């Protein structure tokens, strides 16, 4: 459990944000199926990413950890070996969906399992299109645990029906080892780290925009060439610090080397609409990903009405955006949060329930979240229920900085799935978290 207390002197200074979680997963998966040696620096060593790393070690990939780097010795698209036991993926949806795709087109049997939360999340969204490619996957109710009978697949042309980078990426990974041209059409643009990294590893991947849809074509069986990767820092992890700074008087914060990939920087656009003072400086490219330095200052925030389109570029940020909205001058509405209900927890429900515990008036109508801010809040229940969801735990740790009574963040060890040093980093810039 973490206890989060009110702070009086603001959030100040500079904090080092760890490597991006999405890019870190891909920085293990893609080098592991490439030819040659890839050195990866600034990789996030959180539980989720370590599960991906141990999966590839179980499949015979040599991965060395040397100081702050990892070195991956890839031996090609078909070099993975049948794991001798099940692959356990903990809480990590990204590992699960990307690996289901990748392993469907390998030539061995594998078994994937996860924790209670991951075992209740829908895998049909990735299994259905893979089945169309001829994959053989066994599961009860399209959920983990699942058994994959890896085999030769057929290319398909498929419009992805859900806004999910995990599904898109799983399909692309399956297509890499499938003879012929596979086409995936995205109606809803989602984070494109897989496509960016694969292009730089020499994949035969072509991306076009037609009628506002993104068309991704992959000619399979082309071997990839190893490359070094420097993982930029994670915007989703930064968001907890950004909002803590924005809602606390006397705050000024600098965050450097943050990935601001346009397919997932909705949080910056949303906060700017709320009149947040965020200066984005020194934009540059790092491994074809855009990064920048951010200077943030305490701001008088206004409420905002966000449509469902915004959700696609900031789905992970609604827990912390809800905290920002709780301290704005006017109400906010966040629309179309359907996907938020099937994350590590039902985040829509948990945000609502925990806001009510903190005394914030809030409503959920259909899949829209309404937040009516106030000047002072009186807590009705100081126990924040996280259901082991890291982003709920970190968002309400930030909430505690502005409340008169301490908040108890239950099951806060879940923060280790994405941000092992959160507690220390937060306190280093003025936060008051007690373990
Ligand atoms: C991710 C995609 C998103 C996001 C998750 C990471 C990825 O999930 O919520 O935290 O790395 O591809 P969906 O694909 O389910 O939207």
């Amino acid at each position: 459990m973490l206890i989060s207390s009110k702070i009086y002197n603001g959030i100040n200074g500079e904090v080092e944000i760890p490597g991006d979680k999405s890019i870190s997963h891909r920085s293990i998966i893609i080098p592991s199926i490439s030819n040659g040696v890839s050195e990866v620096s600034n990789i996030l060593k959180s539980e989720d990413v370590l599960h991906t790393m141990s999966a590839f070690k179980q499949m015979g990939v040599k991965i060395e950890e040397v100081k702050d780097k990892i070195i991956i010795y890839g031996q090609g698209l078909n070099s993975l070996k049948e794991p001798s036991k099940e692959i356990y993926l903990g809480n990590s949806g990204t590992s699960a969906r990307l690996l289901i795709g990748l392993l469907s087109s390998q030539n061995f049997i594998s078994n994937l399992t996860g924790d209670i939360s991951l075992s209740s999340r829908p895998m049909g969204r990735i299994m259905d299109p893979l089945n169309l490619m001829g994959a053989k996957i066994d599961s009860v109710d399209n959920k983990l645990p699942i058994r994959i009978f890896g085999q030769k697949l057929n290319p398909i042309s498929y419009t992805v029906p859900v806004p999910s980078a995990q599904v898109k990426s799983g399909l692309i990974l399956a297509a890499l080892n499938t003879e012929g041209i596979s086409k995936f059409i995205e109606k809803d643009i989602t984070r494109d780290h897989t496509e960016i990294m694969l292009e730089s590893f020499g994949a035969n991947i072509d991306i076009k925009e037609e009628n506002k849809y993104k068309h991704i074509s992959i000619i399979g069986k082309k071997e990839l060439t190893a490359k070094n990767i420097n993982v930029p820092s994670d915007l989703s992890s930064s968001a907890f610090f950004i909002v803590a700074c924005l809602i606390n008087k006397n705050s000024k914060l600098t965050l450097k080397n943050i990935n601001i990939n346009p397919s997932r920087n909705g949080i910056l656009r949303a906060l700017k609409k709320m009149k947040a003072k965020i200066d984005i400086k020194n934009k540059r490219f790092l491994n074809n990903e855009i990064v920048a330095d951010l200077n943030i200052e305490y701001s008088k925030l206004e409420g905002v009405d966000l449509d469902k389109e915004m959700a696609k570029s900031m789905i992970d940020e609604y827990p912390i955006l809800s905290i920002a909205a709780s301290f704005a001058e006017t109400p906010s509405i966040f629309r179309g949060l359907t996907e938020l209900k099937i994350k590590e927890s039902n985040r829509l429900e948990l945000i609502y329930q925990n806001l009510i515990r903190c005394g914030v008036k809030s409503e959920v109508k259909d899949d829209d979240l309404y937040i009516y801010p106030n000047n002072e809040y009186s807590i009705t229940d100081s126990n924040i229920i996280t259901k082991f969801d890291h982003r709920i735990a970190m968002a309400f740790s930030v909430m505690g900085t502005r409340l008169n009574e301490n908040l108890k963040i239950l099951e806060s060890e879940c923060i280790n799935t994405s941000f092992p040093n959160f507690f220390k980093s937060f306190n280093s810039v003025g936060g008051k978290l007690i373990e």
Side-chain angles (χ1 to χ4, degrees), residues 21-23 25-26 94 97-98 121 125 163-167 169 190-191 193-194 315-316 339 342-344 347 390-391:
K21 182 154 79 70
S22 294
I23 299 176
H25 283 294
R26 289 150 174 90
T94 306
R97 300 208 176 96
L98 270 58
R121 295 181 68 187
R125 47 179 51 203
S164 168
Q166 293 174 353
V167 170
S169 302
T190 64
R191 66 189 71 194
H193 307 302
T194 306
I315 192 67
D316 290 341
E339 284 288 311
I342 51 165
K343 292 292 173 188
E344 286 83 330
R347 282 188 180 151
H390 54 134
R391 297 203 198 279

Side-chain angles (χ1 to χ4, degrees), residues 125-401:
R125 47 179 51 203
I126 177 74
M127 288 162 60
D128 293 345
L130 288 169
N131 286 336
L132 295 176
M133 293 175 81
K136 192 162 180 316
I137 307 171
D138 272 5
S139 77
V140 177
D141 284 344
N142 289 344
K143 298 205 168 122
L144 258 49
I146 69 168
R147 169 170 286 200
I148 303 165
F149 299 87
Q151 58 190 320
K152 200 167 163 271
L153 303 183
N154 305 309
I156 53 165
S157 181
Y158 181 75
T159 303
V160 185
V162 281
S164 168
Q166 293 174 353
V167 170
K168 168 184 66 178
S169 302
L171 292 174
I172 293 175
L173 291 172
L176 287 177
N177 201 25
T178 299
E179 221 158 288
I181 306 178
S182 302
K183 281 193 185 159
F184 305 115
I185 298 147
E186 249 198 331
K187 289 194 285 190
D188 305 300
I189 305 296
T190 64
R191 66 189 71 194
D192 58 357
H193 307 302
T194 306
E195 297 92 302
I196 290 178
M197 197 178 289
L198 280 175
E199 273 179 342
S200 75
F201 274 65
N204 225 329
I205 179 166
D206 179 60
I207 294 156
K208 274 205 296 266
E209 205 189 293
E210 264 173 44
N211 306 324
K212 295 209 176 140
Y213 290 180
K214 181 171 161 184
H215 293 241
I216 305 166
S217 308
I218 298 118
I219 304 179
K221 292 287 178 191
K222 162 115 194 281
E223 288 290 341
L224 309 176
T225 309
K227 248 194 126 177
N228 294 343
I229 301 168
N230 191 344
V231 179
S233 296
D234 195 318
L235 179 59
S236 299
S237 299
S238 308
F240 302 105
F241 288 81
I242 295 173
V243 171
C245 176
L246 291 173
I247 64 171
N248 280 288
K249 283 193 177 145
N250 304 317
S251 296
K252 254 189 180 177
L253 190 68
T254 300
L255 306 175
K256 288 194 173 149
N257 208 32
I258 309 300
N259 182 233
I260 55 161
N261 180 320
S263 62
R264 64 176 282 205
N265 69 5
I267 182 68
L268 295 177
R269 284 180 274 130
L271 288 170
K272 289 231 166 172
K273 276 190 180 187
M274 295 173 80
K275 301 278 185 289
K277 291 184 192 155
I278 304 175
D279 199 8
I280 304 174
K281 284 170 109 162
N282 200 10
K283 282 191 195 169
R284 59 207 181 269
F285 279 93
L286 188 62
N287 302 117
N288 300 338
E289 289 277 356
I290 305 183
V291 299
D293 302 334
L294 311 180
N295 291 325
I296 306 114
E297 248 183 81
Y298 164 74
S299 309
K300 276 203 161 154
L301 297 176
E302 285 176 12
V304 73
D305 185 339
L306 297 180
D307 62 19
K308 73 176 204 293
E309 282 307 304
M310 276 301 278
K312 293 159 197 163
S313 64
M314 54 172 292
I315 192 67
D316 290 341
E317 277 63 76
Y318 284 97
I320 189 61
L321 190 70
S322 305
I323 307 304
S326 301
F327 295 98
E329 310 263 299
T330 51
S332 290
I333 312 173
F334 306 149
R335 300 179 193 272
L337 303 185
T338 320
E339 284 288 311
L340 207 57
K341 299 196 289 191
I342 51 165
K343 292 292 173 188
E344 286 83 330
S345 68
N346 179 341
R347 282 188 180 151
L348 182 54
E349 188 59 29
L350 271 192
I351 293 171
Y352 163 75
Q353 285 173 0
N354 285 319
L355 285 178
I356 298 292
R357 288 185 180 100
C358 294
V360 182
K361 193 173 166 223
S362 158
E363 277 178 299
V364 176
K365 289 188 213 157
D366 299 321
D367 290 339
D368 303 341
L369 178 65
Y370 292 69
I371 296 173
Y372 307 97
N374 213 332
N375 291 332
E376 278 282 316
Y377 293 119
S378 24
I379 293 179
T380 58
D381 180 353
S382 62
N383 293 299
I384 296 299
I385 308 295
T386 65
K387 300 216 168 146
F388 294 94
D389 186 322
H390 54 134
R391 297 203 198 279
I392 297 290
M394 287 187 277
F396 282 86
S397 299
V398 174
M399 182 75 170
T401 63

Side-chain angles (χ1 to χ4, degrees), residues 58-60 79-85 107-111:
Q58 270 181 261
M59 292 188 284
S79 63
L80 302 179
K81 306 273 177 319
E82 178 159 331
S84 58
K85 59 178 179 63
N107 59 1
F108 52 77
I109 296 175
S110 48
N111 295 289

